[in-house]
Amino acid sequence: MINRQLLQLMKVNLLYANPQLTRRQREKGKTGTALYRSLISQYLAIGVVFAVIFGGTMLFADLYHNVGVFTNLIALFTIIGLTQTITAINNVFFESKDLKDYLPLPLNQWAVFVAKFSVIVLIILPMEIPAWLIFILAGVKAGRFIGISIAIGTIMFVLFYTCLFLACSTAIFSFAQTKVYQHHQKLMTFLMTGLSMVAMFAAIFVMNTTDDGQSVNSFIIPGFSQLHQAVANPFSMESFIVIAILLGGIAIFGAIMQKILLPKVLSGTNVQQIRKPKRKHKSNGGMTRQFIRYNLGLLKNPNLLMQSLSMTIFPVCIFTIIFVFQDGLNLALLPAQDAGVTFLAGIAVAVTAINQGSLVGVFISLDRQNLSFIKSLPIDFKSYLWLKFKLIVMLQGIILMILAIALGVLTKLIWLNILTLSLGVLLGNLLASAYNFTRDWRLLDLTWTNATQLFNRGGGNLLIGLVTFGTIIIGATLITVYILLVRAYSPLLINSVAMLLIAAPSIWLLWHYYRYWLKANLAL
């Protein structure tokens, strides 16, 4: 009976593990067994991709002699494993909000626990396959028989990541019982899930700066070097000590989970039944201030923020990391005559970041049914929409300004070029926001249940990727041509003509959207 329960519970939790992936498969018409098989195949495909891409880059590294390479790579996948564990536990245990529904049912509570953690392991494991290969390759490079290397590498991989998984789970569930988490759950969830993106940055940065694995040879991370010793010389005393520590850690963390934390979680006394803090009374402050507070509250959605940032700001940050840290981009010698070039570059950066996945592109739809109520109030509805537009443009402008200044400082631009880069970012933010805000109204959806629905209107992630890629190509081409013209002809003449060519379409676009909203039919 428990086996059937366990299987059904695993299927249910598989749907919670990645809500966005589940929704995309359902939109393709998949239900029942076909849906579960499709979800599992997605995770298997991720495992294959990680094994081929990351594993292939490690085949040429001597993981037996180069201890630094081994420790850095294991540390990298440890960070990825930790952050993926945080995200998975949040989705399966906290965001699913289903534990209270199991309490009145004749279910074995430990079957519920095993099912949820089995699905979490299924999510994490594909991304940790390269770490398994690292443990094996370190033994193979030692000259041992491949069968023995696979056995020893697998044992060490299972011990290490089981201990890591239990330690991370213990920390998360312990933190979830604190008042800080319970009173600020959305903020804490956003911060925890944000670690996943930080880990992806670390992965891209390390894999792009490691090359063939020799650059980190001299840097050995303490603690991980003992894991290397256990794989390279498994029958030494140090190896037995490492294995004993891992087994002890598994026993201790497992006991804490079983005896202390999980009974609280499975009995329903967890963060799902948190009490909402009392709202403090705030003075009226005028209708405008109330609308500002209300609209800022619409953004207090961790999943919405993470999805939006992952499609807008994070890609720009990835390119910044690659160009600055890997390619050593240094623009200190860029003269003041290229101020127009940096201005155009700022526009390109903003237009790349502000796409259909940006917050301005969904800000009207975030009101949902409240929009009809607001429209019924004795206020000018266009003024309300204008307030929303100004607010979100300002918020995005602040983020982009910080990004532009950081990019200017990292690339050692002179202060004038940093200034023009920032001004270009502000203009690009205004133009791109005007388009995407209008697009949100044209595709208005007030009945959405998941933020993914909003981002996928008029085309999904593929369209966002194509638009972003196309913007980068066009922007890079225009910037290159601009630089060549400034070098070949009079900078004053070229910059003057360029400013006219930028100003004319910018003014036309702003006038176009002004006239659109002036004549727009605002009926819902």
Side-chain angles (χ1 to χ4, degrees):
M1 182 64 180
I2 292 180
N3 290 337
R4 289 189 60 187
Q5 286 184 2
L6 182 61
L7 181 61
Q8 294 303 318
L9 288 170
M10 288 179 65
K11 289 182 177 180
V12 171
N13 285 280
L14 187 62
L15 303 178
Y16 293 137
N18 192 327
Q20 291 78 27
L21 180 60
T22 300
R23 179 170 184 80
R24 285 199 296 269
Q25 296 303 316
R26 280 176 168 165
E27 288 175 347
K28 295 178 180 179
K30 294 181 180 179
T31 58
T33 303
L35 175 60
Y36 299 126
R37 287 178 179 175
S38 177
L39 293 174
I40 293 175
S41 65
Q42 293 285 332
Y43 292 116
L44 292 176
I46 293 174
V48 172
V49 170
F50 266 66
V52 172
I53 295 178
F54 290 96
T57 61
M58 295 180 294
L59 290 176
F60 303 102
D62 190 348
L63 297 175
Y64 175 69
H65 292 98
N66 293 344
V67 183
V69 176
F70 178 92
T71 59
N72 276 263
L73 290 174
I74 291 297
L76 171 65
F77 287 104
T78 296
I79 294 173
I80 293 177
L82 286 172
T83 53
Q84 289 302 310
T85 300
I86 292 172
T87 302
I89 288 178
N90 177 66
N91 287 339
V92 174
F93 274 94
F94 301 150
E95 290 296 322
S96 62
K97 296 180 172 59
D98 63 338
L99 285 173
K100 62 181 180 298
D101 298 327
Y102 295 134
L103 295 178
L105 300 177
L107 296 175
N108 184 292
Q109 287 192 333
W110 291 105
V112 175
F113 153 69
V114 172
K116 285 184 174 291
F117 272 95
S118 297
V119 171
I120 293 172
V121 171
L122 175 64
I123 300 170
I124 300 169
L125 192 58
M127 298 185 181
E128 296 305 317
I129 286 179
W132 174 57
L133 295 176
I134 293 171
F135 280 105
I136 293 175
L137 290 174
V140 172
K141 294 294 183 179
R144 286 197 301 267
F145 175 61
I146 189 171
I148 297 176
S149 298
I150 292 175
I152 295 174
T154 302
I155 291 172
M156 291 305 303
F157 171 79
V158 171
L159 288 177
F160 176 66
Y161 279 97
T162 300
C163 184
L164 182 71
F165 175 76
L166 289 174
C168 183
S169 301
T170 301
I172 294 172
F173 285 111
S174 297
F175 180 56
Q177 304 299 324
T178 64
K179 292 183 178 180
V180 173
Y181 183 91
Q182 294 176 359
H183 291 170
H184 307 282
Q185 184 175 356
K186 288 186 177 181
L187 175 61
M188 294 299 105
T189 300
F190 173 71
L191 293 177
M192 289 193 301
T193 52
L195 291 175
S196 299
M197 291 300 174
V198 174
M200 293 303 109
F201 285 153
I204 293 171
F205 175 70
V206 172
M207 296 308 291
N208 278 281
T209 56
T210 299
D211 296 326
D212 60 354
Q214 301 303 318
S215 61
V216 294
N217 183 45
S218 61
F219 182 67
I220 299 175
I221 302 177
F224 294 103
S225 59
Q226 282 68 38
L227 289 175
H228 179 272
Q229 175 65 22
V231 175
N233 191 4
F235 301 106
S236 65
M237 181 58 66
E238 185 177 0
S239 299
F240 287 126
I241 294 175
V242 171
I243 293 174
I245 292 174
L246 291 176
L247 290 173
I250 291 172
I252 293 172
F253 291 124
I256 293 174
M257 289 287 292
Q258 182 180 4
K259 301 296 184 181
I260 301 176
L261 297 176
L262 289 177
K264 295 181 180 180
V265 174
L266 297 177
S267 64
T269 57
N270 65 339
V271 295
Q272 300 307 320
Q273 288 77 38
I274 63 173
R275 58 182 179 86
K276 295 183 178 179
K278 294 182 179 179
R279 297 185 62 181
K280 296 181 179 180
H281 175 73
K282 297 180 180 179
S283 58
N284 189 0
M287 188 68 73
T288 299
R289 290 188 179 181
Q290 292 189 45
F291 279 141
I292 290 175
R293 286 196 294 266
Y294 161 71
N295 279 279
L296 291 176
L298 295 176
L299 301 177
K300 293 180 180 179
N301 184 323
N303 290 331
L304 170 74
L305 292 177
M306 288 310 305
Q307 283 184 259
S308 179
L309 291 176
S310 66
M311 291 184 288
T312 57
I313 302 301
F314 287 153
V316 177
C317 293
I318 289 174
F319 281 108
T320 301
I321 290 174
I322 293 175
F323 288 140
V324 174
F325 292 101
Q326 178 187 350
D327 298 336
L329 184 63
N330 189 332
L331 302 177
L333 299 178
L334 203 65
Q337 68 184 32
D338 289 319
V341 176
T342 54
F343 181 75
L344 179 60
I347 296 176
V349 169
V351 173
T352 301
I354 308 303
N355 52 44
Q356 73 179 67
S358 59
L359 292 175
V360 71
V362 298
F363 204 40
I364 303 177
S365 296
L366 291 182
D367 281 296
R368 288 200 269 202
Q369 286 80 6
N370 290 339
L371 197 64
S372 298
F373 169 74
I374 293 171
K375 192 175 187 302
S376 67
L377 295 175
I379 61 172
D380 183 5
F381 188 54
K382 287 185 179 180
S383 297
Y384 171 72
L385 294 178
W386 174 235
L387 173 66
K388 288 179 72 73
F389 179 74
K390 289 188 294 183
L391 179 62
I392 197 63
V393 168
M394 182 183 67
L395 292 176
Q396 290 181 157
I398 293 173
I399 296 174
L400 289 172
M401 279 286 289
I402 294 173
L403 181 62
I405 294 173
L407 178 60
V409 172
L410 289 174
T411 56
K412 299 179 175 57
L413 284 171
I414 61 175
W415 69 268
L416 177 61
N417 288 338
I418 294 178
L419 176 61
T420 54
L421 178 69
S422 302
L423 293 175
V425 159
L426 293 179
L427 176 58
N429 175 42
L430 181 60
L431 295 174
S433 296
Y435 167 76
N436 285 286
F437 192 77
T438 305
R439 180 182 181 275
D440 184 27
W441 176 258
R442 287 191 291 103
L443 302 177
L444 189 64
D445 182 2
L446 303 180
T447 59
W448 58 275
T449 57
N450 189 291
T452 306
Q453 294 174 254
L454 297 180
F455 295 127
N456 286 344
R457 291 174 301 168
N461 291 331
L462 177 60
L463 178 61
I464 295 178
L466 291 175
V467 171
T468 301
F469 182 74
T471 304
I472 292 173
I473 296 298
I474 295 173
T477 302
L478 292 176
I479 291 171
T480 302
V481 172
Y482 196 166
I483 292 175
L484 294 176
L485 290 174
V486 169
R487 297 291 185 272
Y489 301 99
S490 169
L492 179 60
L493 175 63
I494 297 301
N495 284 323
S496 300
V497 173
M499 289 303 102
L500 288 175
L501 292 177
I502 293 173
S506 299
I507 294 173
W508 180 85
L509 282 172
L510 294 176
W511 177 249
H512 167 74
Y513 287 116
Y514 172 75
R515 287 175 57 83
Y516 172 86
W517 285 102
L518 202 61
K519 300 178 180 179
N521 180 6
L522 300 183
L524 297 178

